[in-house]
DNA sequence: CTGTTAGCGCGTTCAG
DNA sequence: CTGAACGCGCTAACAG
């Protein structure tokens, strides 16, 4: 018997350095099963054996193989998060909060970056599904048909965040980008601005905010609104360039930016050219509550609360994963936004 | 026989929605093995069968279970990346580049956020090791003894990035934070600045840059350098606050910041108070080549090339993972940095 | 070119 | 309270 175990290395042996439950068990003089229980459900094991096992665990430096565990239980404790990019500060707060909330509940995050490309998202969904995540978080609500189909068929809980829609795949937590555009338009009109310009990154949601803003202005009788669109992700540099291009046209009263980073770029270029913000031209940004450029005194912004989105999404998932049978009524949350005026008048 | 297969659902059956190799094989009239080969090594399969199998794959919507594959092959195609935070722009370029380079080579990234806490890193290393990553990337070279020990014992390739040390765990790609501090000091002295102040986040490497800067000044005869240290991660808001505190002392010629975000905060607060940058006080930042505040015309900065670090790390890992036997001589790279003066004089 | 056998490391299940 | 048997889904190794 011993013989058939020890030299049972007809294969590689050097599988790695991995210590297995078996190894620990042998050292502790028990079965693998007892070691497993000691680690997962210690209350089911007599104290004496438990201590012996724990010693053996330490002595061997055993690290449980989560792959094997996941395969056996059909629970990976992995959450897939699909994000356009981390090259912009807009998502960072949400990601941090979501990851730490999930981590606290015992879940790890598998990150996929789509670069705002639907085809990339499609491919990532396939790969990530292969890891059998316990849930999937998608940024935005606009996905390729194949992606939607794959995701709909899956029983894996899905959360779409950062946007709203009438036809979510499953759960939904976000805010309306159309509403942002409209609110900004009304806010600025009320402040007596009349000559507008728009600087937008060409990501889908930024564009929707921008066009919604322009549409609302039209409805209010403002016909001509110059708009510059620059490639995503937005950077300080593209903000500066966009500002330069806008300057080639008439100088407006106020420039509305699809995101804070662009607004900061404008501030930088304006400083260089001696253009006063907000005296010569006012600037409006858009960004996260905690990391946003609203801390620049001369900038007005739309603030969204990314941390809330992250926390809500994580909590919704965790409770759904813990819940046994009833697949709770689908969650839909509008997290809203707030317009904040600049500090200096 | 058929009977012992079909109703062989003594267990849950609803394991999930997962279609298995078996399911595809049955539909295609072959064995699981043939399906596996069709997917991984199509050249070993006759075209006719291959087509039949591919049809079955499509028909069933089969998505390979990477957990099972990883368990069987002892290759997870997962790379663990330990990062202090993504709440600061400093790492974003590196992360994006590393992730996309790895993705192109068929590896996914498992992200762990340490919040600059060594104990958190220690815990994360344990959890992440459980996923049996094919490699581990650590930010920085300063780890808890237990972490070092665990990592040293592992045969998993390790890369420490973003710093240099004489005693790396394995591979090493970064730059010297001491050298940055010294270079900045000499640069500013040469520009005839004499009255300095430092604004630093209290992350380990930021502090090292700051103290190295101050030490070099001391060596050059400058004794008193006020320094404000604020909690990491740096934000625009803390930059503003730090500036305010520095203003309570004498106004220096130049303020050296441990990171661009703090420098930008200074610019914001200075704008509010009508303090001219760089006329009244100059500001020096530190950050990534592509996302850095160097695009602000009145800011001088130290630029590092995060993208290179990310790409080098990814490429080193991939080639090491592809290499068969010889564990190549350990890689050590100093990626250096560059001091860039402001645009406006 | 395709099938068979065996096992990756773990957890569920049921005996004892 | 502990153990034995079995299977999660896949692939390496060897037949044929």
């Amino acid at each position: 018997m011993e013989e058939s175990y020890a030299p049972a290395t007809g294969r590689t042996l050097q599988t790695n350095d991995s210590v297995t439950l078996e190894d620990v068990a042998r050292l502790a003089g028990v079965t693998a099963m007892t070691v497993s229980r000691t680690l997962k459900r210690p209350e089911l094991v007599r104290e004496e054996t438990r201590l012996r096992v724990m010693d053996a665990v330490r002595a061997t430096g055993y690290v449980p193989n989560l792959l094997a565990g996941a395969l056996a239980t059909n629970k990976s404790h992995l959450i897939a998060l699909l994000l356009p990019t981390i090259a912009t500060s807009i998502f960072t707060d949400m990601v941090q909060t979501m990851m730490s909330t999930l981590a606290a509940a015992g879940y790890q995050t598998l990150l996929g970056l789509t670069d705002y490309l639907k085809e990339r998202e499609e491919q990532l969904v396939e790969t990530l599904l292969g890891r059998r995540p316990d849930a999937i978080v998608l940024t935005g609500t606009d996905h390729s048909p194949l992606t939607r189909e794959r995701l709909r068929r899956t029983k894996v809980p899905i959360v779409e965040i950062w946007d709203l829609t009438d036809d979510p795949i499953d759960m939904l937590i976000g805010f309306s980008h159309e509403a942002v555009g409209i609110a900004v338009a009304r806010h600025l009109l009320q402040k007596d601005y009349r000559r507008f310009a728009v600087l937008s990154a060409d990501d889908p949601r930024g564009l929707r905010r921008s066009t919604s803003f322009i549409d609302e202005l039209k409805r209010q009788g403002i016909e001509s609104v110059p708009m510059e669109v620059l490639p995503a992700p937005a950077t300080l540099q593209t903000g500066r360039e966009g500002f330069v291009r806008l300057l080639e046209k008439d100088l407006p009263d106020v420039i509305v930016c699809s995101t804070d980073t662009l607004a900061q770029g404008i501030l930088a270029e304006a400083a260089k050219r001696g253009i006063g913000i907000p005296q010569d031209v006012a600037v409006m940004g858009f960004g996260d509550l905690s990391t946003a450029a609203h801390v620049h005194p001369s900038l007005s912004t739309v603030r969204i609360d990314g941390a809330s989105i992250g926390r809500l999404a994580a909590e919704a998932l965790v409770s759904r994963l813990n819940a046994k049978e009833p697949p709770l009524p689908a969650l839909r949350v509008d997290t809203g936004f707030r317009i904040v005026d600049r500090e200096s008048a």
Side-chain angles (χ1 to χ4, degrees), chain A residues 64-107:
Chain A
N65 185 328
L66 268 23
L67 296 173
L71 187 58
T73 58
N74 200 28
K75 290 183 201 337
S76 64
H77 284 260
L78 236 34
I79 309 285
L81 169 59
L82 291 172
L83 206 66
T85 175
I86 58 166
T88 165
S89 64
I90 189 79
F91 299 117
T92 57
D93 223 45
M94 181 239 106
V95 175
Q96 294 259 156
T97 309
M98 180 149 73
M99 284 186 69
S100 63
T101 308
L102 288 174
Y107 292 89

Side-chain angles (χ1 to χ4, degrees), chain A residues 119-289:
Chain A
E119 62 220 66
R120 214 135 154 44
E121 179 180 77
E122 181 172 309
Q123 196 198 332
L124 272 170
V125 164
E126 166 141 26
T127 325
L128 293 178
L129 275 178
R131 299 280 172 193
R132 296 298 187 265
D134 289 342
I136 301 180
V137 181
L138 300 173
T139 307
T141 55
D142 189 25
H143 319 289
S144 79
L146 181 60
T147 302
R148 295 184 68 83
E149 143 107 24
R150 260 208 265 265
L151 260 21
R152 275 244 157 79
R153 250 197 335 228
T154 301
K155 272 165 204 123
V156 175
I158 312 269
V159 196
E160 290 167 284
I161 61 173
W162 217 262
D163 203 350
L164 295 178
T165 175
D166 289 335
D167 182 33
I169 300 177
D170 184 5
M171 294 181 274
L172 182 67
I173 301 173
F175 57 93
S176 161
H177 297 264
E178 278 74 20
V180 168
I182 292 171
V184 170
R186 292 183 183 166
H187 177 84
L188 292 178
L189 283 169
Q190 187 204 312
K191 294 261 170 187
D192 283 331
Y193 290 105
R194 287 297 176 269
R195 304 174 57 247
F196 304 88
V198 173
L199 184 55
S200 179
D202 81 339
D203 77 274
R205 286 170 294 279
L207 282 177
R208 275 184 28 232
R209 293 192 292 276
S210 298
T211 56
S212 165
F213 168 71
I214 292 174
D215 289 348
E216 175 63 14
L217 287 182
K218 284 227 176 81
R219 267 178 245 119
Q220 308 281 341
I222 311 270
E223 280 304 328
S224 156
V225 180
M227 166 152 101
E228 281 294 331
V229 177
L230 299 101
T235 67
L236 291 179
Q237 188 54 48
T238 57
R240 291 179 72 173
E241 289 172 11
F243 184 48
V244 171
R245 286 198 222 160
L246 285 176
L247 287 179
E248 290 166 4
K249 309 170 183 176
D250 291 336
L251 192 67
D253 300 333
V254 56
I255 301 178
V256 172
C257 302
S258 71
T259 186
D260 280 335
T261 309
L262 295 177
Q264 286 183 294
I266 291 182
L267 292 177
E269 186 63 27
K272 180 178 182 183
R273 297 179 173 234
I275 297 176
I277 311 285
Q279 304 87 336
D280 298 325
V281 55
V283 177
M284 181 112 198
F286 170 93
D288 186 85
L289 206 161

